[in-house]
Short mmCIF file of all heavy atoms in Angstrom, two decimals:
data_model
loop_
_atom_site.label_atom_id
_atom_site.label_comp_id
_atom_site.label_asym_id
_atom_site.label_seq_id
_atom_site.Cartn_x
_atom_site.Cartn_y
_atom_site.Cartn_z
N ARG J 148 9.23 7.34 -6.13
CA ARG J 148 9.38 6.08 -5.40
C ARG J 148 9.06 4.90 -6.31
O ARG J 148 8.10 4.92 -7.06
CB ARG J 148 8.41 6.05 -4.20
CG ARG J 148 8.88 6.82 -2.99
CD ARG J 148 10.02 6.19 -2.24
NE ARG J 148 9.73 4.86 -1.71
CZ ARG J 148 9.28 4.61 -0.52
NH1 ARG J 148 9.03 5.61 0.33
NH2 ARG J 148 9.07 3.39 -0.11
N CYS J 149 9.87 3.85 -6.19
CA CYS J 149 9.62 2.62 -6.95
C CYS J 149 8.81 1.66 -6.08
O CYS J 149 8.93 1.67 -4.86
CB CYS J 149 10.95 1.97 -7.36
SG CYS J 149 11.84 2.95 -8.57
N PRO J 150 8.03 0.79 -6.71
CA PRO J 150 7.15 -0.07 -5.92
C PRO J 150 7.86 -1.29 -5.34
O PRO J 150 8.80 -1.82 -5.93
CB PRO J 150 6.11 -0.52 -6.95
CG PRO J 150 6.83 -0.51 -8.25
CD PRO J 150 7.80 0.63 -8.16
N THR J 151 7.40 -1.70 -4.16
CA THR J 151 7.80 -2.99 -3.59
C THR J 151 6.90 -4.07 -4.21
O THR J 151 5.98 -3.76 -4.96
CB THR J 151 7.60 -2.99 -2.07
OG1 THR J 151 6.18 -2.85 -1.82
CG2 THR J 151 8.34 -1.87 -1.38
N CYS J 152 7.17 -5.32 -3.87
CA CYS J 152 6.30 -6.42 -4.36
C CYS J 152 4.85 -6.19 -3.98
O CYS J 152 3.94 -6.39 -4.80
CB CYS J 152 6.76 -7.75 -3.80
SG CYS J 152 8.37 -8.30 -4.39
N HIS J 153 4.62 -5.78 -2.73
CA HIS J 153 3.24 -5.52 -2.31
C HIS J 153 2.66 -4.34 -3.09
O HIS J 153 1.50 -4.38 -3.52
CB HIS J 153 3.17 -5.22 -0.80
CG HIS J 153 3.26 -6.45 0.06
ND1 HIS J 153 4.45 -6.94 0.57
CD2 HIS J 153 2.31 -7.31 0.51
CE1 HIS J 153 4.22 -8.02 1.29
NE2 HIS J 153 2.92 -8.28 1.26
N ASN J 154 3.48 -3.28 -3.29
CA ASN J 154 2.98 -2.11 -4.04
C ASN J 154 2.59 -2.46 -5.47
O ASN J 154 1.65 -1.90 -6.03
CB ASN J 154 4.05 -1.00 -4.14
CG ASN J 154 4.49 -0.43 -2.81
OD1 ASN J 154 5.63 0.00 -2.67
ND2 ASN J 154 3.62 -0.42 -1.82
N ILE J 155 3.34 -3.40 -6.09
CA ILE J 155 3.04 -3.79 -7.46
C ILE J 155 1.61 -4.31 -7.55
O ILE J 155 0.85 -3.96 -8.45
CB ILE J 155 4.04 -4.88 -7.96
CG1 ILE J 155 5.42 -4.23 -8.20
CG2 ILE J 155 3.54 -5.56 -9.24
CD1 ILE J 155 6.55 -5.22 -8.47
N MET J 156 1.23 -5.12 -6.56
CA MET J 156 -0.16 -5.62 -6.51
C MET J 156 -1.12 -4.47 -6.21
O MET J 156 -2.16 -4.32 -6.85
CB MET J 156 -0.30 -6.70 -5.44
CG MET J 156 0.53 -7.96 -5.67
SD MET J 156 0.23 -8.74 -7.27
CE MET J 156 -1.51 -9.09 -7.19
N GLU J 157 -0.73 -3.64 -5.24
CA GLU J 157 -1.65 -2.58 -4.77
C GLU J 157 -1.91 -1.53 -5.84
O GLU J 157 -2.99 -0.94 -5.88
CB GLU J 157 -1.04 -1.90 -3.53
CG GLU J 157 -1.05 -2.81 -2.31
CD GLU J 157 -0.03 -2.42 -1.25
OE1 GLU J 157 0.46 -1.27 -1.29
OE2 GLU J 157 0.30 -3.27 -0.39
N ASN J 158 -0.93 -1.30 -6.71
CA ASN J 158 -1.08 -0.26 -7.74
C ASN J 158 -1.75 -0.79 -8.99
O ASN J 158 -1.95 -0.06 -9.95
CB ASN J 158 0.30 0.31 -8.14
CG ASN J 158 1.01 0.96 -6.98
OD1 ASN J 158 0.37 1.33 -6.00
ND2 ASN J 158 2.33 1.08 -7.06
N SER J 159 -2.07 -2.08 -9.02
CA SER J 159 -2.51 -2.70 -10.27
C SER J 159 -4.03 -2.66 -10.43
O SER J 159 -4.77 -2.34 -9.49
CB SER J 159 -2.06 -4.17 -10.30
OG SER J 159 -2.86 -4.92 -9.40
N THR J 160 -4.46 -3.03 -11.62
CA THR J 160 -5.89 -3.02 -11.92
C THR J 160 -6.63 -4.21 -11.30
O THR J 160 -7.85 -4.27 -11.34
CB THR J 160 -6.11 -3.07 -13.46
OG1 THR J 160 -5.35 -4.17 -13.98
CG2 THR J 160 -5.64 -1.79 -14.12
N VAL J 161 -5.89 -5.15 -10.70
CA VAL J 161 -6.56 -6.31 -10.09
C VAL J 161 -7.12 -5.97 -8.70
O VAL J 161 -7.81 -6.77 -8.09
CB VAL J 161 -5.63 -7.56 -9.98
CG1 VAL J 161 -5.19 -8.02 -11.35
CG2 VAL J 161 -4.44 -7.32 -9.06
N ILE J 162 -6.84 -4.75 -8.23
CA ILE J 162 -7.28 -4.31 -6.89
C ILE J 162 -8.30 -3.18 -7.06
O ILE J 162 -8.07 -2.25 -7.84
CB ILE J 162 -6.07 -3.76 -6.09
CG1 ILE J 162 -4.97 -4.82 -5.98
CG2 ILE J 162 -6.48 -3.26 -4.72
CD1 ILE J 162 -5.24 -5.94 -5.07
N SER J 163 -9.38 -3.22 -6.30
CA SER J 163 -10.41 -2.17 -6.38
C SER J 163 -9.89 -0.88 -5.76
O SER J 163 -8.97 -0.88 -4.94
CB SER J 163 -11.67 -2.61 -5.65
OG SER J 163 -11.43 -2.63 -4.25
N GLU J 164 -10.52 0.25 -6.13
CA GLU J 164 -10.10 1.56 -5.59
C GLU J 164 -10.28 1.59 -4.07
O GLU J 164 -9.46 2.15 -3.35
CB GLU J 164 -10.92 2.68 -6.23
CG GLU J 164 -10.55 2.97 -7.68
CD GLU J 164 -9.04 3.23 -7.90
OE1 GLU J 164 -8.47 4.00 -7.12
OE2 GLU J 164 -8.45 2.62 -8.82
N GLU J 165 -11.35 0.98 -3.58
CA GLU J 165 -11.61 0.95 -2.14
C GLU J 165 -10.50 0.19 -1.41
O GLU J 165 -9.98 0.64 -0.37
CB GLU J 165 -12.97 0.29 -1.88
CG GLU J 165 -13.33 0.16 -0.42
CD GLU J 165 -13.26 1.46 0.38
OE1 GLU J 165 -13.58 2.55 -0.15
OE2 GLU J 165 -12.85 1.39 1.56
N CYS J 166 -10.09 -0.93 -2.00
CA CYS J 166 -9.02 -1.73 -1.39
C CYS J 166 -7.69 -0.96 -1.41
O CYS J 166 -6.93 -1.00 -0.44
CB CYS J 166 -8.89 -3.05 -2.14
SG CYS J 166 -7.66 -4.15 -1.43
N LYS J 167 -7.44 -0.24 -2.51
CA LYS J 167 -6.21 0.57 -2.61
C LYS J 167 -6.15 1.59 -1.48
O LYS J 167 -5.10 1.81 -0.87
CB LYS J 167 -6.15 1.29 -3.96
CG LYS J 167 -5.75 0.36 -5.09
CD LYS J 167 -5.70 1.08 -6.44
CE LYS J 167 -5.43 0.07 -7.52
NZ LYS J 167 -5.43 0.58 -8.87
N LYS J 168 -7.31 2.21 -1.21
CA LYS J 168 -7.38 3.22 -0.14
C LYS J 168 -7.04 2.59 1.21
O LYS J 168 -6.31 3.16 2.01
CB LYS J 168 -8.80 3.80 -0.08
CG LYS J 168 -8.96 5.08 -0.87
CD LYS J 168 -10.29 5.73 -0.56
CE LYS J 168 -10.91 6.24 -1.86
NZ LYS J 168 -12.35 6.16 -1.91
N GLN J 169 -7.60 1.41 1.45
CA GLN J 169 -7.36 0.73 2.72
C GLN J 169 -5.88 0.32 2.87
O GLN J 169 -5.30 0.45 3.94
CB GLN J 169 -8.27 -0.50 2.84
CG GLN J 169 -9.74 -0.13 3.00
CD GLN J 169 -10.61 -1.38 3.01
OE1 GLN J 169 -10.83 -2.02 2.00
NE2 GLN J 169 -11.12 -1.72 4.17
N LEU J 170 -5.30 -0.16 1.78
CA LEU J 170 -3.88 -0.56 1.80
C LEU J 170 -2.99 0.66 2.04
O LEU J 170 -2.00 0.59 2.78
CB LEU J 170 -3.51 -1.27 0.50
CG LEU J 170 -4.06 -2.69 0.34
CD1 LEU J 170 -4.01 -3.13 -1.10
CD2 LEU J 170 -3.34 -3.68 1.23
N GLN J 171 -3.35 1.80 1.41
CA GLN J 171 -2.60 3.04 1.63
C GLN J 171 -2.69 3.48 3.08
O GLN J 171 -1.72 3.94 3.67
CB GLN J 171 -3.12 4.14 0.70
CG GLN J 171 -2.33 5.44 0.76
CD GLN J 171 -0.87 5.30 0.38
OE1 GLN J 171 -0.55 4.66 -0.61
NE2 GLN J 171 0.03 5.88 1.16
N GLY J 172 -3.88 3.29 3.64
CA GLY J 172 -4.08 3.62 5.07
C GLY J 172 -3.15 2.81 5.97
O GLY J 172 -2.59 3.34 6.94
N LEU J 173 -3.01 1.52 5.62
CA LEU J 173 -2.09 0.66 6.40
C LEU J 173 -0.65 1.14 6.28
O LEU J 173 0.09 1.17 7.26
CB LEU J 173 -2.18 -0.81 5.92
CG LEU J 173 -3.51 -1.54 6.14
CD1 LEU J 173 -3.42 -2.96 5.59
CD2 LEU J 173 -3.92 -1.56 7.60
N LEU J 174 -0.27 1.51 5.06
CA LEU J 174 1.10 2.01 4.83
C LEU J 174 1.35 3.28 5.66
O LEU J 174 2.37 3.40 6.33
CB LEU J 174 1.30 2.31 3.34
CG LEU J 174 2.66 2.87 2.94
CD1 LEU J 174 3.74 1.80 3.01
CD2 LEU J 174 2.62 3.47 1.53
N ASP J 175 0.41 4.20 5.61
CA ASP J 175 0.55 5.46 6.34
C ASP J 175 0.67 5.23 7.85
O ASP J 175 1.36 5.94 8.55
CB ASP J 175 -0.63 6.39 6.06
CG ASP J 175 -0.68 6.83 4.60
OD1 ASP J 175 0.35 6.68 3.91
OD2 ASP J 175 -1.76 7.27 4.14
N LYS J 176 -0.03 4.18 8.31
CA LYS J 176 -0.03 3.88 9.75
C LYS J 176 1.24 3.14 10.19
O LYS J 176 1.85 3.47 11.20
CB LYS J 176 -1.25 3.01 10.06
CG LYS J 176 -1.36 2.56 11.51
CD LYS J 176 -2.61 1.71 11.73
CE LYS J 176 -2.69 1.14 13.13
NZ LYS J 176 -3.87 0.26 13.30
N TYR J 177 1.64 2.13 9.41
CA TYR J 177 2.70 1.23 9.88
C TYR J 177 4.11 1.53 9.37
O TYR J 177 5.09 1.19 10.04
CB TYR J 177 2.35 -0.22 9.52
CG TYR J 177 1.18 -0.80 10.29
CD1 TYR J 177 -0.02 -1.11 9.65
CD2 TYR J 177 1.27 -1.04 11.66
CE1 TYR J 177 -1.09 -1.65 10.35
CE2 TYR J 177 0.21 -1.60 12.37
CZ TYR J 177 -0.98 -1.89 11.71
OH TYR J 177 -2.03 -2.44 12.40
N TYR J 178 4.24 2.15 8.19
CA TYR J 178 5.59 2.39 7.65
C TYR J 178 6.42 3.29 8.59
O TYR J 178 7.60 3.00 8.84
CB TYR J 178 5.53 2.97 6.23
CG TYR J 178 6.90 3.25 5.63
CD1 TYR J 178 7.79 2.21 5.38
CD2 TYR J 178 7.29 4.56 5.33
CE1 TYR J 178 9.05 2.46 4.85
CE2 TYR J 178 8.55 4.81 4.79
CZ TYR J 178 9.43 3.77 4.55
OH TYR J 178 10.66 4.02 4.02
N PRO J 179 5.84 4.37 9.16
CA PRO J 179 6.63 5.18 10.09
C PRO J 179 7.12 4.38 11.30
O PRO J 179 8.21 4.63 11.82
CB PRO J 179 5.66 6.28 10.53
CG PRO J 179 4.66 6.37 9.41
CD PRO J 179 4.51 4.97 8.90
N ILE J 180 6.34 3.39 11.72
CA ILE J 180 6.76 2.52 12.83
C ILE J 180 7.94 1.65 12.38
O ILE J 180 8.93 1.50 13.10
CB ILE J 180 5.59 1.62 13.29
CG1 ILE J 180 4.43 2.48 13.84
CG2 ILE J 180 6.06 0.61 14.35
CD1 ILE J 180 3.15 1.71 14.15
N GLU J 181 7.85 1.10 11.16
CA GLU J 181 8.89 0.20 10.64
C GLU J 181 10.25 0.88 10.63
O GLU J 181 11.26 0.25 10.97
CB GLU J 181 8.52 -0.25 9.21
CG GLU J 181 9.55 -1.19 8.62
CD GLU J 181 9.30 -1.52 7.15
OE1 GLU J 181 8.32 -1.05 6.56
OE2 GLU J 181 10.12 -2.26 6.58
N ILE J 182 10.29 2.15 10.24
CA ILE J 182 11.60 2.81 10.07
C ILE J 182 11.97 3.73 11.25
O ILE J 182 12.97 4.43 11.18
CB ILE J 182 11.67 3.60 8.74
CG1 ILE J 182 10.67 4.75 8.73
CG2 ILE J 182 11.45 2.67 7.55
CD1 ILE J 182 10.93 5.75 7.61
#
């Protein structure tokens, strides 16, 4: 999978590991709803 604009930020070193986990949690929750 290639990153979206949000993923580019989320996968980067400017985001803490804890924040990455929380963002992934949001993706897992909301992406299935989106599609």
